[in-house]
């Protein structure tokens, strides 16, 4: 994963303006490799349901 992100960042930096360089990846994001159908289903469910829980989040204003 680290190698992929490194190569992707270098290529991205070649084509974007200077103010956008090195801003491809979200900070504090945990990479996860989806290894099977069960994990895929759980991650999809989390992504789909997450917006509906925004009002419960500690950062909700």
């Amino acid at each position: 994963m680290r190698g992929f992100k490194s190569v992707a960042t270098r290529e991205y930096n070649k084509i974007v303006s200077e103010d956008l360089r090195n801003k491809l990846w979200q900070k504090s994001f945990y990479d996860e490799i989806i290894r099977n159908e069960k994990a895929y289903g759980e991650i999809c469910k989390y992504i789909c349901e997450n917006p509906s829980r925004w009002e419960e989040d500690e950062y909700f204003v």
Side-chain angles (χ1 to χ4, degrees):
M1 187 61 69
R2 181 175 47 197
F4 169 79
K5 289 175 79 172
S6 177
V7 170
T9 300
R10 279 196 302 268
E11 294 302 313
Y12 170 81
N13 286 342
K14 290 178 185 177
I15 62 172
V16 298
S17 61
E18 192 170 329
D19 61 317
L20 293 177
R21 290 190 184 139
N22 298 311
K23 295 182 180 175
L24 182 60
W25 307 106
Q26 180 179 348
K27 294 179 191 264
S28 302
F29 177 79
Y30 300 101
D31 299 318
E32 184 173 348
I33 296 173
I34 300 171
R35 300 192 183 276
N36 56 46
E37 285 289 324
K38 182 178 183 234
Y40 176 77
E42 291 170 356
I43 292 167
C44 284
K45 182 179 177 187
Y46 171 81
I47 291 169
C48 289
E49 293 177 356
N50 197 41
S52 66
R53 294 190 298 266
W54 171 231
E55 291 182 2
E56 301 165 18
D57 192 276
E58 65 181 289
Y59 297 110
F60 178 76
V61 179

